[in-house]
Amino acid sequence: MKYINIANTELKASNMIMGNMRINQLSLSEAEKLIRTAMEEGINFFDHADIYGKGQCEELFSEAIQMNPAIREQMMIQSKCGIRPDLGCFDFSKEHIINSVNKILQRLRTDYLDTLLLHRPDPLMEPEEVAEAFEVLHTSGKVKYFGVSNFNPLQIELLQKALPYKLVINQLQFGIAHTPMIDSGIALNMKVDQSINRDSSIIEYCRLHDITIQAWSPFQYGFFEGVFLGDLEKFPELNKSIDKMAEKYGVTSTAIAVAWITRHPANMQVVLGTTKVQRIIDSCKGSEIQLTREEWYQIYRAAGNMVP
C-alpha cells in the first residue's frame, strides 16, 4: 500500500480510501468483513457522508467495527455534509453544518473527524458563515481538517478567503471512463468536443494549492450509469487494453484501473465505493503499480480519447 502525506496536515493516508456510500446494503457481519479486509490490505482512510443511507451507513460502520478508542486510532475518518434531500437543497448555514457534524459523530461513535468536506457547492453559500461553523468545530476538537467535494477553483477561492484554515481536500469524480479534468488540457484550442473546458482546470488548481484530490467512482462511466470494467459492448477496446496490462503485471483489471489514476502526478487518493471484499483486495494491488507513460496514454486512447 502506498501512503501519501496530505499537504498541510499531519495525516499520512493510504492512497486507497474505503467509501461507505452503499455499506447499508450489507448485513452486520458482511460489513465487518469488508472493513476488516480493507484494514488488512493497508487502507487507513474511510469516507462517509451524512446522506449515505440517510445516516444508516455511518451507524452500521461504527457498529460493525465495534468502534472504540483503540480501533479509532488505527483509522482516519472523513464525512461530508451540506446536502439536504429532505428539503431538496444544499445548506451551508452555520446551524446546519454544526448540527450535521454532531449527528455524524454520534452515529460514528467517535469524538472527532479527521476531515470534514462540504458535499457539493451551495450557490447560497456565505463564506463568513461557513468560517464561523468551522471555527466552532475546530476549536471544540470535533474536526481536525476541512475540505470540499465537487468544487471548482473559484468556489474554493471564495470560501478560502474567509477561512482561517487551509482547505486540504477536493473530492471529484475521476476514472478512465470519466476524464473531463484532463481532456480539455490535452486538446487545448482545438475545435473538437474534447477541448471543451468542463472543469475550470481544477486539477491544475489543486496541484498549485496543495489540495489533495480524492477520485470518486473510479470504475464508473457517466453519473452512476454503470461500471466500464468487463463491459465489452460499450468499452471493447478499453477492456482489451486493460486486460493486456493486467496480464503483464499479474493483477486483475481492477488493479490496472486503479493504477491508471494513481499514476497521475497529482498524487490522488482513490475512493473505493464497492461492497465486494474481492474488489477491495484487487483494487489495493493497484496501489503501488507504476504504469509507464506509454501504457498510461494507451489506456487513455483506448477509452476513446484523442491524443493530438
Side-chain angles (χ1 to χ4, degrees), residues 156-199:
I156 294 175
E157 287 282 337
L158 178 62
L159 178 57
Q160 186 67 74
K161 180 181 177 182
L163 295 178
Y165 311 109
K166 180 80 168 60
L167 294 169
V168 300
I169 287 168
N170 191 8
Q171 196 173 100
L172 299 155
Q173 184 177 6
F174 186 65
I176 187 53
H178 185 90
T179 54
M181 288 199 294
I182 59 176
D183 292 340
S184 61
I186 289 177
L188 181 68
N189 201 34
M190 298 184 72
K191 209 170 183 180
V192 294
D193 182 69
Q194 187 176 321
S195 71
I196 297 172
N197 190 332
R198 294 179 169 87
D199 73 307

Side-chain angles (χ1 to χ4, degrees), residues 2 15-16 174 255-270 286-291 296:
K2 179 181 177 182
N15 69 346
M16 299 292 106
F174 186 65
I256 298 300
V258 164
W260 188 86
I261 297 172
T262 58
R263 173 63 176 83
H264 194 282
N267 218 17
M268 302 180 199
Q269 292 177 286
V270 180
S287 168
E288 295 186 278
I289 291 177
Q290 182 78 0
L291 296 177
W296 190 89

Side-chain angles (χ1 to χ4, degrees), residues 183-217:
D183 292 340
S184 61
I186 289 177
L188 181 68
N189 201 34
M190 298 184 72
K191 209 170 183 180
V192 294
D193 182 69
Q194 187 176 321
S195 71
I196 297 172
N197 190 332
R198 294 179 169 87
D199 73 307
S200 304
S201 301
I202 187 62
I203 198 168
E204 291 82 9
Y205 176 87
C206 288
R207 293 181 71 185
L208 284 168
H209 293 270
D210 296 322
I211 297 173
T212 297
I213 292 175
Q214 296 177 342
W216 59 267
S217 285

Side-chain angles (χ1 to χ4, degrees), residues 98-269:
I98 292 174
N99 286 343
S100 295
V101 170
N102 286 334
K103 292 176 182 177
I104 288 168
L105 295 178
Q106 184 177 15
R107 291 192 292 266
L108 287 171
R109 302 182 190 177
T110 183
D111 297 327
Y112 69 96
L113 293 175
D114 292 281
T115 49
L116 172 71
L117 309 187
L118 296 179
H119 202 175
R120 292 198 173 275
D122 176 10
L124 302 182
M125 173 182 72
E126 296 285 358
E128 294 77 15
E129 185 174 6
V130 174
E132 291 177 7
F134 282 8
E135 178 70 11
V136 170
L137 294 170
H138 185 74
T139 56
S140 65
K142 293 180 179 180
V143 178
K144 288 186 175 182
Y145 304 106
F146 300 92
V148 294
S149 181
N150 308 297
F151 273 50
N152 69 32
L154 288 184
Q155 290 167 336
I156 294 175
E157 287 282 337
L158 178 62
L159 178 57
Q160 186 67 74
K161 180 181 177 182
L163 295 178
Y165 311 109
K166 180 80 168 60
L167 294 169
V168 300
I169 287 168
N170 191 8
Q171 196 173 100
L172 299 155
Q173 184 177 6
F174 186 65
I176 187 53
H178 185 90
T179 54
M181 288 199 294
I182 59 176
D183 292 340
S184 61
I186 289 177
L188 181 68
N189 201 34
M190 298 184 72
K191 209 170 183 180
V192 294
D193 182 69
Q194 187 176 321
S195 71
I196 297 172
N197 190 332
R198 294 179 169 87
D199 73 307
S200 304
S201 301
I202 187 62
I203 198 168
E204 291 82 9
Y205 176 87
C206 288
R207 293 181 71 185
L208 284 168
H209 293 270
D210 296 322
I211 297 173
T212 297
I213 292 175
Q214 296 177 342
W216 59 267
S217 285
F219 312 125
Q220 292 273 337
Y221 64 91
F223 190 63
F224 299 115
E225 291 181 40
V227 175
F228 64 84
L229 290 172
D231 189 337
L232 301 180
E233 181 179 346
K234 291 187 175 69
F235 302 95
E237 290 304 315
L238 177 57
N239 278 280
K240 180 180 177 181
S241 179
I242 290 176
D243 289 346
K244 182 178 179 181
M245 288 181 205
E247 184 177 355
K248 172 188 171 181
Y249 286 95
V251 295
T252 64
S253 59
T254 300
I256 298 300
V258 164
W260 188 86
I261 297 172
T262 58
R263 173 63 176 83
H264 194 282
N267 218 17
M268 302 180 199
Q269 292 177 286

Side-chain angles (χ1 to χ4, degrees), residues 30 33-35 37 274-282:
E30 289 171 335
K33 184 176 182 180
L34 190 71
I35 300 166
T37 299
T274 184
T275 57
K276 295 179 172 59
V277 168
Q278 191 58 49
R279 177 150 287 185
I280 288 280
I281 295 171
D282 292 343

